[in-house]
Amino acid sequence: STVSQLGYMFLAVGSGSFFAGVFHLMTHAFFKALLFLGSGSVIHGMHEEQDIRKMGGLKKWMPITHITFLIGCLAIAGFPLFSGFFSKDEILWFALSNQHVLHAQLGGFFGSGAFSWLVWFLGTATAAMTAFYMFRLYFLTFQGECRADEHTRAHIHESPATMTFPLVVLAGLSLVGGLVGVPHILGGPWIPAWWGDMHGWLHQVIGYGEGLYVNRFGGDGMAWLSMGVAISGMAAGIFAAYTLYAKPSETPKRVSESLGRLYTAVYNKYYVDEIYQATVGRGVRWAGVFSHRVIDVFLIDTLLVNGTAYAARFVGTVLRQFQSGDVQRYAAYVLIALGVIVYLLV
C-alpha cells in the first residue's frame, strides 16, 4: 500500500500538479502512520501474532484501535470527506485533464490525450484495489468471529494509552487533514480566509512549474466524472471485500482454485523473492565467501600480513646466527669467506 501511494505522488508530479503530490504526501503521512501504528497495536494486543487469518472480531476487545484503524482504511481508500479523498481526487483530476506541452508537440498517441486517459484509468483502478485489500484487512482483523486459539483469545486486550493516544491524534488528522486542500469545485477552500489554504502556501514555490502544464478541459464536467468514477470504484472495492471477507465464505477459496496457476503465481508474488534469492542473493553470498576466504583470509591475512611477519621472522632467525657474539665463530666465518673468494678467483 505504501508503494501505491508513492505511485500516486509521482503520478501527480508527472501530470503537472506538484501541489497535489505534496498534498497527498501530507495526507498520506497521517493515515499511513495511523495504519502502521494501528497494526502495531493489534500485534501487541494479540501477543505478537501477525497473521490476520488467526484474528477476527477484535473490535470488541480493542475498540479504540478498531475505530481509529477503520478511519485509516477509509482515508486511504479515498472515502468522501476523509483526507485521502481530497488528495487522491486532485491527482486523478489532473491526470485526466492535464497534459504537458511536450505531449502536445509530439502528436500521435501522446498528443491525442490518450496517455492522460491511460494514466487516469490506472490511478482509478489502483484506488479501487486499494479499497478492496485494505477492507479485506479490516474485515478479517476486526469483524466476524475470532479465529485465534483459546490461549491467545483469553489474553487479547486493548493497547495502553501510550499507544492508543497517538492513534486518536492521527485519526483526527486523517479526518480533517484534507480540509487544507479542498478543490474549488467542492466550494473550497473550507478553512478561514485569514488562514489561507495549502495551494496558496505552495503557489510561490511550485506555481511556475505548474504553469508549464496546460488544461485540456474548459469546464468542470470532467472533474465531476473523475470524482464520480473514483468514488464508485472505491465503493465497489469495499463492497467486494465485505462480500468476500466480512463473513465466512467459500467464495475466495473457489476463486483461487478456479484461477489455478495464475493464483499460485500471484500468491507467491510472481516468485520475485525466489528468483532474487537464486540470482542476486546467491551471487552476493558466493561473492562474500570468495572475498572472505580468498581475498581476506588467504591474500591479505596469510600472504600479506602474516606472510610478511613470517618472512621477517625467518630472515631474523637466519641473521641471528651471524650475530652470536662468539669471536671464534666470527673468525671461522672470515676464514670460510676468504676460502670461498680465493676459490672463485683461482
Side-chain angles (χ1 to χ4, degrees):
S1 63
T2 300
V3 173
S4 65
Q5 303 311 305
L6 295 176
Y8 264 102
M9 299 171 202
F10 278 93
L11 176 58
V13 173
S15 301
S17 180
F18 309 124
F19 158 74
V22 176
F23 185 24
H24 194 62
L25 174 66
M26 184 196 74
T27 60
H28 165 266
F30 300 148
F31 57 72
K32 183 50 65 71
L34 172 59
L35 291 169
F36 269 120
L37 294 181
S39 298
S41 178
V42 170
I43 294 170
H44 175 75
M46 289 286 294
H47 293 271
E48 309 308 317
E49 178 60 63
Q50 300 186 38
D51 190 344
I52 60 176
R53 293 170 296 184
K54 298 179 182 179
M55 299 181 186
L58 296 188
K59 65 177 183 179
K60 63 181 179 181
W61 286 290
M62 310 180 71
I64 300 177
T65 301
H66 162 247
I67 190 63
T68 54
F69 200 90
L70 176 60
I71 291 173
C73 289
L74 291 170
I76 194 174
F79 196 86
L81 303 185
F82 285 71
S83 60
F85 165 76
F86 293 109
S87 56
K88 278 191 176 185
D89 177 72
E90 191 89 4
I91 294 173
L92 292 175
W93 159 235
F94 270 90
L96 177 62
S97 65
N98 282 16
Q99 60 176 345
H100 196 282
V101 291
L102 180 61
H103 289 171
Q105 295 172 357
L106 289 175
F109 177 78
F110 291 95
S112 66
F115 186 72
S116 295
W117 282 98
L118 174 62
V119 295
W120 172 81
F121 172 78
L122 293 176
T124 305
T126 300
M129 288 188 287
T130 299
F132 173 76
Y133 66 68
M134 289 307 303
F135 274 87
R136 172 184 179 272
L137 165 63
Y138 167 75
F139 288 126
L140 287 176
T141 303
F142 294 100
Q143 300 293 335
E145 296 296 326
C146 184
R147 297 176 296 277
D149 57 70
E150 292 295 332
H151 175 74
T152 303
R153 189 182 307 178
H155 294 86
I156 299 176
H157 61 279
E158 180 63 278
S159 299
T162 53
M163 299 178 70
T164 57
F165 180 72
L167 297 181
V168 174
V169 173
L170 289 168
L173 292 171
S174 298
L175 275 171
V176 304
L179 299 183
V180 299
V182 178
H184 293 287
I185 193 174
L186 294 178
W190 290 359
I191 56 180
W194 57 266
W195 195 43
D197 67 319
M198 189 173 181
H199 204 169
W201 299 332
L202 295 176
H203 182 74
Q204 58 182 337
V205 179
I206 63 177
Y208 176 76
E210 289 191 340
L212 297 176
Y213 290 71
V214 294
N215 190 283
R216 293 195 292 116
F217 303 112
D220 294 331
M222 299 305 294
W224 288 110
L225 171 65
S226 176
M227 187 185 305
V229 173
I231 294 176
S232 300
M234 176 272 303
I238 295 177
F239 179 75
Y242 173 80
T243 302
L244 296 175
Y245 299 104
K247 299 178 181 179
S249 173
E250 293 296 322
T251 303
K253 182 179 179 180
R254 290 197 299 267
V255 172
S256 63
E257 291 175 349
S258 65
L259 294 176
R261 293 183 178 179
L262 176 60
Y263 173 82
T264 303
V266 174
Y267 182 82
N268 290 282
K269 304 178 290 293
Y270 306 105
Y271 298 100
V272 172
D273 292 343
E274 289 77 6
I275 295 173
Y276 184 90
Q277 182 62 29
T279 55
V280 178
R282 181 172 297 177
V284 170
R285 185 171 63 252
W286 281 111
V289 172
F290 177 82
S291 298
H292 170 67
R293 295 182 179 178
V294 177
I295 298 178
D296 191 25
V297 175
F298 179 71
L299 292 179
I300 297 178
D301 291 346
T302 304
L303 292 183
L304 296 179
V305 178
N306 294 331
T308 303
Y310 294 150
R313 186 171 60 184
F314 174 78
V315 173
T317 301
V318 174
L319 293 178
R320 189 168 62 245
Q321 304 304 317
F322 299 93
Q323 300 292 331
S324 62
D326 189 343
V327 177
Q328 293 178 343
R329 183 178 295 183
Y330 291 164
Y333 292 157
V334 171
L335 291 176
I336 293 173
L338 289 174
V340 171
I341 294 173
V342 172
Y343 173 80
L344 292 176
L345 290 176
V346 173

